[in-house]
Amino acid sequence: RVGASVQVAGMRLIPSIRVQRNVAIAAGSDTRAFFGVNSFILPQPALGKFFGQFTARTTLETEGSFHPYSVSAYLSRLLTAGLRMETGVAWSRGGLGTTYTLTLSTELRTVRAYATVNAPSAAPATSTQYVQGSVLYNPSSRKLNFTAGPSMQRAGLAGRVFLDENGNGKLDSNEQVIPGVRVRVGMESALSDSSGQWRVWDLSPYEPVLVVVDSLSLPSPLWTPTYSALSVEPGPNRFRTLDLPIAPGGTLEGRVVRETIAGLQGLGGAPLILTDLKTGIARSIVTFSDGAFYAIGVKPSEYELRIDPRVESRLQMNAEPQRFVMKSSVDGAEVGGIEVRLMQK
């Protein structure tokens, strides 16, 4: 079988050719060629509020010189959140004639269910009911969790988001948890609940995923994730616990000046390099037109602040690096009055 895929606006076409060779010991063999095309049509809002929410899929396969072998068409629409209805008709040569199908699918966070009715023209109607779900133990919350879909050979991550006031990376009894924080795990995401708990299931075991805290969802602009991103390898058939510390950052302000004949003048547009002396991580700050600079969300640590060496080289001037300590404070620490002075070499 050889196929291709073509996307045209809101429609995907999948043409294909397949060759089937049948071998029978007594009757010899024969080779048959089939030509087919499948289509998937996304909702078309231009059709209106009702019809514009339908999706459709069709199949057509012919044998040899375009003799129909199988044909089907299905329409699907979301009725309410988590409940979808699909109806369609199918025909195949040598089958049970024309078959009408009605399917109701329920996709909830804790259970997945499908109810299908098939009504062929040459046989009695049949119905099937399929329900799927799993019960999992979450060691982070010490509770049972329910999830849709199978859980064997799947993996999950769970933990708490908390304000790490003492900077030790662990949730201590006197530290507060943070609700409403979005945690991104690969392509999935979760919000921490009132107890700071978050969880993501249905990950591929042994495949590393990036865990990132969305800093825009933190309640204070001064707070910042301790880790910009974590690469985690989840294990199969269980949750792996991962607590996420949030550092109560502070603000930094000061001014860059240079010596001139007329006295000290502010240097606008000058890039500064702020380096965490404990981790070696650096970030850039640019001064305003009057030479002032301001930074928020600076994590508690020891820092060195210096002018970009390219500026020193261009101006033929030097500036002594400034060192300071940003303390940890829930209300936000502040370090101000720092002056970076450029002087003639």
Side-chain angles (χ1 to χ4, degrees):
R1 185 181 186 278
V2 178
S5 176
V6 180
Q7 182 78 29
V8 180
M11 177 186 296
R12 181 175 292 274
L13 299 176
I14 306 177
S16 63
I17 301 174
R18 68 182 179 95
V19 178
Q20 177 177 308
R21 181 173 176 81
N22 301 317
V23 179
I25 296 177
S29 62
D30 69 311
T31 301
R32 304 162 66 187
F34 300 86
F35 304 91
V37 59
N38 296 356
S39 71
F40 298 88
I41 305 172
L42 298 175
Q44 305 292 321
L47 297 179
K49 185 176 181 180
F50 181 78
F51 293 103
Q53 298 185 33
F54 279 92
T55 59
R57 57 188 178 95
T58 65
T59 65
L60 171 64
E61 190 172 56
T62 63
E63 180 182 4
S65 56
F66 301 103
H67 295 296
Y69 184 78
S70 66
V71 182
S72 68
Y74 299 90
L75 282 176
S76 175
R77 189 180 190 277
L78 190 66
L79 300 181
T80 61
L83 179 62
R84 177 175 294 275
M85 180 184 72
E86 181 181 82
T87 183
V89 59
W91 173 88
S92 62
R93 188 194 310 166
L96 299 176
T98 303
T99 301
Y100 300 92
T101 302
L102 176 64
T103 301
L104 289 176
S105 60
T106 304
E107 185 77 32
L108 302 178
R109 186 176 181 180
T110 58
V111 69
R112 180 184 298 160
Y114 301 91
T116 304
V117 177
N118 292 308
S121 58
T126 60
S127 64
T128 58
Q129 177 69 48
Y130 176 77
V131 180
Q132 188 179 59
S134 302
V135 181
L136 309 166
Y137 175 70
N138 186 346
S140 176
S141 61
R142 298 181 180 179
K143 295 179 180 178
L144 294 178
N145 293 150
F146 299 88
T147 183
S151 294
M152 297 301 291
Q153 298 304 315
R154 306 305 295 166
L157 294 176
R160 293 163 293 183
V161 182
F162 67 97
L163 190 63
D164 190 16
E165 298 180 28
N166 58 15
N168 66 355
K170 299 178 181 180
L171 176 57
D172 299 316
S173 58
N174 62 333
E175 291 178 331
Q176 69 182 65
V177 296
I178 310 175
V181 178
R182 183 169 297 280
V183 180
R184 304 188 185 278
V185 182
M187 300 299 292
E188 305 294 331
S189 67
L191 283 176
S192 59
D193 60 19
S194 58
S195 61
Q197 296 278 346
W198 64 274
R199 67 180 181 92
V200 171
W201 183 253
D202 206 22
L203 302 174
S204 297
Y206 305 119
E207 291 188 11
V209 292
L210 282 181
V211 180
V212 179
V213 175
D214 184 356
S215 59
L216 296 178
S217 65
L218 295 174
S220 172
L222 297 179
W223 296 354
T224 179
T226 300
Y227 308 105
S228 57
L230 289 169
S231 179
V232 184
E233 183 180 290
N237 310 324
R238 63 185 177 90
F239 280 104
R240 179 173 177 178
T241 300
L242 180 65
D243 291 337
L244 300 173
I246 304 299
T251 60
L252 171 67
E253 58 181 337
R255 192 164 182 251
V256 175
V257 296
R258 61 176 174 171
E259 292 182 343
T260 66
I261 298 176
L264 297 177
Q265 292 183 350
L267 182 62
L272 294 163
I273 301 174
L274 179 64
T275 304
D276 187 330
L277 296 178
K278 292 183 178 179
T279 64
I281 298 176
R283 61 184 285 191
S284 180
I285 305 172
V286 179
T287 61
F288 300 112
S289 58
D290 62 350
F293 60 84
Y294 182 77
I296 64 173
V298 181
K299 300 175 184 178
S301 188
E302 298 178 15
Y303 289 93
E304 179 185 82
L305 180 68
R306 63 171 300 169
I307 195 81
D308 192 311
R310 293 173 296 179
V311 176
E312 295 178 317
S313 175
R314 188 179 304 116
L315 297 177
Q316 295 296 304
M317 304 179 80
N318 289 331
E320 288 293 328
Q322 302 295 312
R323 293 195 174 191
F324 65 92
V325 175
M326 181 66 71
K327 297 181 179 180
S328 177
S329 173
V330 176
D331 299 324
E334 180 179 348
V335 174
I338 293 183
E339 183 181 80
V340 180
R341 181 177 297 189
L342 285 159
M343 298 179 294
Q344 296 294 334
K345 292 184 177 180

